Amino acid sequence: MAGFRSPSSGLRALRPGAFGADPSGERMARIRRSPHFKDGVFQNPGGPARTRPSGSTLDFAKVFFDKETRPRRAPKGTVPVHATTLADIARPPATGLRLTWMGHSSVLAEIDGRRVLFDPVWGERCSPFPFAGPKRLHPVPLPLAALGPVDAVVISHDHYDHLDMPTIKALAGTDTLFAVPLGVGAHLEHWGVSAGRLRELDWHESTKIGGLTLTATPARHFCGRGLRNTQHTLWASWVVAGEEHRIYHSGDTGYFDGFKGIGADHGPFDATMIQIGAYSDFWPDIHMTPDEGMRAHLDLQGGPEHGPMLPIHWATFNLATHPWADPGEGTVAAARAVGARIALPHPGEPFEPTAESVPSEPWWRGVALAPAGGFPVGETLADAAIKTTSDAAAVAQADTVSDGGGKAAKGTEDPETLPAG
């Protein structure tokens, strides 16, 4: 009948644009050829991972609606953001490597004369809808248009807090190239990125962009943006190597033994960017705790004497039921326990990982609700890092000899009942 439209086509018409597009055609055929795709879905390293809250709905509800813990899931005051300016990023980094954490998992990396933007999310909410979903707890440090040209945008996976449609649409109007895991290119093409600007990789595949080598490496997570989670797009961590420097971005991942292999193949790194937030006992396989994040960092680096760890995936969105400050505090404690070097920049604060010093003050304590016993005190992280470096040098020398705020915070909504990514 002329003009007839099936119910399914009508539902597709109502589908939000932020849901993106499912892989099809040659893209889907390539997915099916992947050694990591089996029984119709991508497989995780280390065996199946729980991708939805475990335990009973009642158990989760008790934690979610607990009146005593809910206020701690957001800052009590205005998050101190470093207002990144053009002057901050216009001059080349003195060491050849500079990182600027824009909040959550978004990081601008300036490496050996090139600029790489990881998981850029400039939207107000990590959600398919502008009126619902987790809202920012602090503003972005600078407008996306003020960032200047970037050589490559790297996407770890297609969850809303890592792949933001408005941000991608804005970047689609530039000359940047996009490095993404298998299948994720379907979303980007749907939003206006031409196929010629996509570099779509399986784990252990590499591409060269402007003298940099970008390699997709394994992660333990999952995918999905729409009502159905088809597991037809891959998730990845990333290694970016230039002539002089190399860095690692974890994306989202649970802890697994594969970090040692990534480190052996590509490390050690001048800096690692490691996910340490939005963890929960209800989904232990897909996000790391700070202790697990530090363990992953040491696996990647082969020890604490190499480049620092930048904790990411925290402070910007309320995505779990742990206190807002816990990922930062846990990372500080984990670093002190093993003598590792970590960088603690304010959102938007540029720093050079290979410089003599990196930001090391727990800036969040001024706007976080303190735990019952108060925040811990002790040696500064800088002192711990210096001591660790001295100890490592002494061991190396011995081996050589023997061998011959106050305002109400934005976006204090409770988290979704499912992990957002």
Side-chain angles (χ1 to χ4, degrees):
M1 181 182 297
F4 174 79
R5 191 169 68 166
S6 70
S8 61
S9 63
L11 290 174
R12 283 195 297 270
L14 295 174
R15 174 185 171 118
F19 278 9
D22 294 328
S24 60
E26 176 52 34
R27 178 176 279 118
M28 193 65 220
R30 187 181 171 204
I31 287 171
R32 291 192 179 101
R33 293 193 297 268
S34 168
H36 311 110
F37 192 78
K38 183 181 179 183
D39 299 328
V41 295
F42 279 109
Q43 305 292 316
N44 263 305
R50 287 166 288 179
T51 60
R52 290 292 182 265
S54 59
S56 71
T57 302
L58 179 60
D59 289 340
F60 185 83
K62 287 179 179 178
V63 175
F64 182 82
F65 292 109
D66 183 78
K67 292 182 179 180
E68 293 186 5
T69 60
R70 286 173 69 184
R72 297 187 179 279
R73 298 174 196 163
K76 67 178 182 180
T78 301
V79 175
V81 174
H82 177 91
T84 311
T85 66
L86 183 60
D88 288 326
I89 55 180
R91 55 179 176 77
T95 61
L97 176 64
R98 182 167 57 211
L99 301 180
T100 306
W101 178 50
M102 298 296 178
H104 202 55
S105 295
S106 302
V107 181
L108 173 66
E110 298 166 273
I111 174 171
D112 296 342
R114 301 293 179 178
R115 306 175 89 223
V116 178
L117 187 59
F118 291 95
D119 284 354
V121 174
W122 259 249
E124 188 67 13
R125 295 182 185 270
C126 50
S127 165
F129 308 107
F131 53 84
K135 190 178 181 181
R136 282 187 167 274
L137 300 173
H138 66 78
V140 290
L142 83 168
L144 187 63
L147 189 64
V150 295
D151 296 280
V153 171
V154 175
I155 303 297
S156 63
H157 63 296
D158 70 358
H159 285 155
Y160 289 96
D161 56 323
H162 297 259
L163 180 59
D164 179 54
M165 181 186 71
T167 303
I168 297 300
K169 282 190 169 184
L171 292 167
T174 69
D175 295 329
T176 189
L177 300 177
F178 294 81
V180 302
L182 275 181
V184 175
H187 298 310
L188 273 63
E189 284 194 56
H190 187 65
W191 299 330
V193 178
S194 63
R197 291 167 59 197
L198 292 172
R199 305 292 184 267
E200 206 161 341
L201 305 182
D202 200 349
W203 291 339
H204 309 298
E205 290 183 343
S206 299
T207 187
K208 287 188 176 294
I209 297 177
L212 300 177
T213 300
L214 286 69
T215 304
T217 46
R220 185 166 166 80
H221 200 55
F222 69 115
C223 67
R225 294 179 71 84
L227 298 176
R228 295 178 298 114
N229 182 7
T230 60
Q231 299 294 81
H232 283 171
T233 66
L234 188 59
W235 46 95
S237 57
W238 287 87
V239 171
V240 176
E243 292 183 1
E244 301 293 334
H245 298 91
R246 57 185 59 228
I247 54 179
Y248 172 86
H249 188 284
S250 72
D252 276 3
T253 181
Y255 180 81
F256 67 112
D257 290 340
F259 291 114
K260 294 179 181 178
I262 295 171
D265 291 341
H266 303 282
F269 301 97
D270 295 289
T272 68
M273 297 160 270
I274 304 291
Q275 171 263 306
I276 49 84
Y279 50 84
S280 173
D281 290 340
F282 289 99
W283 48 84
D285 299 336
I286 55 172
H287 283 163
M288 292 190 291
T289 65
D291 282 339
E292 290 171 327
M294 179 54 64
R295 185 179 171 190
H297 169 74
L298 296 180
D299 286 352
L300 290 159
Q301 297 289 49
E305 66 274 13
H306 298 295
M309 167 183 154
L310 169 65
I312 60 171
H313 200 264
W314 77 290
T316 304
F317 297 106
N318 186 3
L319 301 177
T321 58
H322 59 65
W324 176 73
D326 274 16
E329 290 297 323
T331 302
V332 169
R336 282 182 171 148
V338 298
R341 191 169 179 237
I342 57 174
L344 302 174
H346 293 72
E349 181 182 1
F351 73 97
E352 302 193 24
T354 59
E356 289 186 3
S357 64
V358 297
S360 59
E361 293 301 319
W363 54 266
W364 56 87
R365 290 180 179 174
V367 294
L369 288 169
F375 290 114
V377 295
E379 66 174 346
T380 67
L381 289 172
D383 290 341
I386 292 170
K387 181 177 184 298
T388 301
T389 303
S390 300
D391 290 347
V395 170
Q397 184 176 11
D399 288 344
T400 302
V401 171
S402 63
D403 291 340
K407 296 180 182 179
K410 294 177 61 182
T412 56
E413 294 93 344
D414 284 312
E416 302 290 311
T417 57
L418 297 180

